Amino acid sequence: MVTKSKNDFAFIWSIIGILIATLSIGYCFSHVIDLVNSGMGRSSQLITQLMWSIKGGV
């Protein structure tokens, strides 16, 4: 027995939603990569400064 959706446009709206989500991820991907890279740079700088201070440097 096959059931039919009450909304005939449900499939179309689902496809539109998936397309919007994909475009959003694609648009923001470069910004996310930049944030991760700058965060890693700051973390490594902090670790370097901590190691330097532990070893006795000022």
Side-chain angles (χ1 to χ4, degrees):
M1 178 179 189
V2 177
T3 58
K4 186 174 178 177
S5 174
K6 293 179 182 179
N7 186 355
D8 292 333
F9 296 105
F11 178 73
I12 294 170
W13 287 115
S14 297
I15 297 298
I16 291 172
I18 291 169
L19 285 174
I20 291 172
T22 304
L23 291 172
S24 297
I25 291 171
Y27 179 74
C28 296
F29 190 71
S30 63
H31 300 294
V32 170
I33 294 299
D34 288 341
L35 285 174
V36 169
N37 286 336
S38 66
M40 289 176 65
R42 281 188 251 139
S43 296
S44 64
Q45 184 181 16
L46 175 66
I47 291 170
T48 302
Q49 289 176 350
L50 284 173
M51 293 302 291
W52 192 49
S53 65
I54 289 172
K55 290 180 181 178
V58 178

